[in-house]
Protein backbone atom coordinates (compact mmCIF):
# COMPACT_ATOMS: atom_id res chain seq x y z
CA UNK A 1 0.00 0.00 0.00
CA UNK A 2 1.19 3.53 -0.73
CA UNK A 3 -0.16 7.05 -0.60
CA UNK A 4 -1.60 7.67 -4.07
CA UNK A 5 -1.88 11.44 -3.77
CA UNK A 6 -2.75 14.32 -1.47
CA UNK A 7 -5.34 16.91 -2.51
CA UNK A 8 -5.39 20.60 -1.59
CA UNK A 9 -7.96 23.28 -2.43
CA UNK A 10 -6.66 26.52 -3.95
CA UNK A 11 -8.50 29.69 -4.97
CA UNK A 12 -6.23 30.15 -8.01
CA UNK A 13 -5.38 26.86 -9.70
CA UNK A 14 -3.17 28.41 -12.37
CA UNK A 15 -1.10 30.25 -9.79
CA UNK A 16 -0.78 27.05 -7.70
CA UNK A 17 0.22 25.05 -10.78
CA UNK A 18 2.90 27.61 -11.65
CA UNK A 19 4.16 27.67 -8.07
CA UNK A 20 4.64 23.90 -7.83
CA UNK A 21 6.09 23.70 -11.34
CA UNK A 22 8.56 26.53 -10.90
CA UNK A 23 9.77 25.83 -7.38
CA UNK A 24 9.35 22.06 -7.02
CA UNK A 25 9.67 20.75 -10.59
CA UNK A 26 6.11 19.42 -10.82
CA UNK A 27 4.63 18.48 -14.19
CA UNK A 28 0.90 19.12 -14.59
CA UNK A 29 -1.59 16.90 -16.38
CA UNK A 30 -4.34 18.54 -18.41
CA UNK A 31 -6.92 20.53 -16.44
CA UNK A 32 -9.94 18.43 -15.46
CA UNK A 33 -13.19 20.37 -15.25
CA UNK A 34 -16.64 19.13 -14.34
CA UNK A 35 -19.03 21.74 -15.72
CA UNK A 36 -21.96 20.26 -13.81
CA UNK A 37 -20.40 20.67 -10.35
CA UNK A 38 -17.95 23.52 -10.96
CA UNK A 39 -15.05 21.31 -9.80
CA UNK A 40 -11.63 21.75 -11.45
CA UNK A 41 -8.30 20.10 -10.71
CA UNK A 42 -4.80 19.44 -11.90
CA UNK A 43 -2.76 16.39 -10.98
CA UNK A 44 0.86 17.40 -10.48
CA UNK A 45 3.57 14.76 -10.69
CA UNK A 46 6.98 15.20 -9.09
CA UNK A 47 10.30 13.70 -10.16
CA UNK A 48 10.02 10.78 -7.70
CA UNK A 49 6.49 9.91 -8.90
CA UNK A 50 4.68 11.50 -5.94
CA UNK A 51 1.45 13.24 -6.94
CA UNK A 52 -0.44 16.25 -5.64
CA UNK A 53 -3.96 17.16 -6.74
CA UNK A 54 -4.72 20.88 -6.65
CA UNK A 55 -8.45 21.57 -6.75
CA UNK A 56 -11.04 24.30 -6.88
CA UNK A 57 -14.78 24.13 -6.26
CA UNK A 58 -15.97 27.30 -4.54
CA UNK A 59 -19.29 25.91 -3.26
CA UNK A 60 -17.67 22.94 -1.48
CA UNK A 61 -15.69 25.14 0.88
CA UNK A 62 -18.83 26.98 1.91
CA UNK A 63 -21.00 23.86 2.06
CA UNK A 64 -18.54 21.96 4.25
CA UNK A 65 -17.96 25.01 6.46
CA UNK A 66 -14.26 24.87 5.61
CA UNK A 67 -11.82 27.67 4.97
CA UNK A 68 -11.44 28.38 1.25
CA UNK A 69 -8.31 26.39 0.76
CA UNK A 70 -6.38 23.64 2.42
CA UNK A 71 -6.03 19.90 2.69
CA UNK A 72 -9.04 17.98 1.43
CA UNK A 73 -8.12 14.29 1.50
CA UNK A 74 -5.35 11.71 1.44
CA UNK A 75 -5.63 8.96 -1.18
CA UNK A 76 -4.30 5.44 -0.80
CA UNK A 77 -3.77 3.21 -3.81
CA UNK A 78 -4.66 -0.41 -2.98
CA UNK A 79 -4.00 -1.94 -6.41
CA UNK A 80 -7.37 -3.10 -7.77
CA UNK A 81 -11.10 -2.40 -7.85
CA UNK A 82 -11.69 -5.53 -5.79
CA UNK A 83 -9.36 -4.28 -3.06
CA UNK A 84 -11.10 -0.87 -3.10
CA UNK A 85 -14.42 -2.66 -2.51
CA UNK A 86 -12.98 -5.00 0.15
CA UNK A 87 -11.33 -2.26 2.21
CA UNK A 88 -14.36 0.03 1.90
CA UNK A 89 -16.63 -2.73 3.18
CA UNK A 90 -14.24 -3.65 5.99
CA UNK A 91 -14.10 -0.04 7.17
CA UNK A 92 -17.92 0.21 6.97
CA UNK A 93 -18.27 -2.98 9.08
CA UNK A 94 -15.85 -1.50 11.61
CA UNK A 95 -18.12 1.53 12.03
CA UNK A 96 -16.51 4.11 9.78
CA UNK A 97 -18.70 6.34 7.61
CA UNK A 98 -18.50 5.75 3.86
CA UNK A 99 -19.04 9.22 2.43
CA UNK A 100 -18.48 8.17 -1.19
CA UNK A 101 -19.45 4.69 -2.35
CA UNK A 102 -17.07 2.88 -4.73
CA UNK A 103 -17.52 4.34 -8.20
CA UNK A 104 -15.81 5.48 -11.38
CA UNK A 105 -15.39 9.24 -11.17
CA UNK A 106 -15.81 11.70 -14.03
CA UNK A 107 -12.06 11.71 -14.62
CA UNK A 108 -11.86 7.91 -14.76
CA UNK A 109 -10.71 6.89 -11.27
CA UNK A 110 -12.29 4.00 -9.38
CA UNK A 111 -12.49 5.11 -5.77
CA UNK A 112 -14.42 5.34 -2.53
CA UNK A 113 -14.17 7.86 0.29
CA UNK A 114 -14.42 7.20 4.01
CA UNK A 115 -14.25 9.48 7.03
CA UNK A 116 -11.70 8.50 9.64
CA UNK A 117 -12.31 8.68 13.40
CA UNK A 118 -11.89 12.49 13.39
CA UNK A 119 -13.77 13.17 10.16
CA UNK A 120 -10.76 13.43 7.85
CA UNK A 121 -11.47 12.18 4.33
CA UNK A 122 -9.55 9.14 3.10
CA UNK A 123 -9.86 8.19 -0.56
CA UNK A 124 -9.31 4.55 -1.45
CA UNK A 125 -8.38 4.12 -5.10
CA UNK A 126 -6.89 1.63 -7.52
Amino acid sequence: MQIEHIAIYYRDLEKAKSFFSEYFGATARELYRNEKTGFSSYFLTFENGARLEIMNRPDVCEKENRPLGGLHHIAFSVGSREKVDELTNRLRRDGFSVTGEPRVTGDGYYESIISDFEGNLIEITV
Side-chain angles (χ1 to χ4, degrees), residues 4-95:
E4 208 300 315
H5 67 272
I6 294 177
I8 303 176
Y9 274 117
Y10 281 95
R11 288 184 185 100
D12 187 333
L13 283 182
E14 296 303 320
K15 190 173 183 178
K17 180 179 84 165
S18 294
F19 172 79
F20 286 107
S21 296
E22 181 176 343
Y23 296 105
F24 299 99
T27 302
R29 281 185 37 190
E30 184 176 319
L31 177 69
Y32 169 73
R33 186 182 312 264
N34 185 319
E35 297 298 334
K36 211 168 23 172
T37 64
F39 175 82
S40 298
S41 76
Y42 283 108
F43 270 97
L44 306 178
T45 304
F46 297 86
E47 188 176 309
N48 68 353
R51 296 189 330 144
L52 174 67
E53 182 180 12
I54 54 174
M55 311 180 309
N56 181 277
R57 182 175 166 177
D59 67 310
V60 168
C61 295
E62 296 165 16
K63 193 181 340 182
E64 293 182 3
N65 196 23
R66 305 169 65 98
L68 184 63
L71 186 67
H72 182 260
H73 67 268
I74 297 175
F76 286 89
S77 173
V78 295
S80 71
R81 287 183 177 206
E82 293 77 20
K83 288 182 179 180
V84 169
D85 294 344
E86 288 170 12
L87 184 53
T88 302
N89 288 326
R90 176 180 172 199
L91 287 159
R92 183 191 331 267
R93 283 191 310 272
D94 288 348

Side-chain angles (χ1 to χ4, degrees), residues 106-124:
D107 52 350
Y109 286 91
Y110 187 76
E111 66 184 40
S112 68
I113 301 172
I114 63 105
S115 293
D116 71 11
F117 59 94
E118 289 191 357
N120 298 301
L121 298 179
I122 308 292
E123 181 180 298
I124 304 164

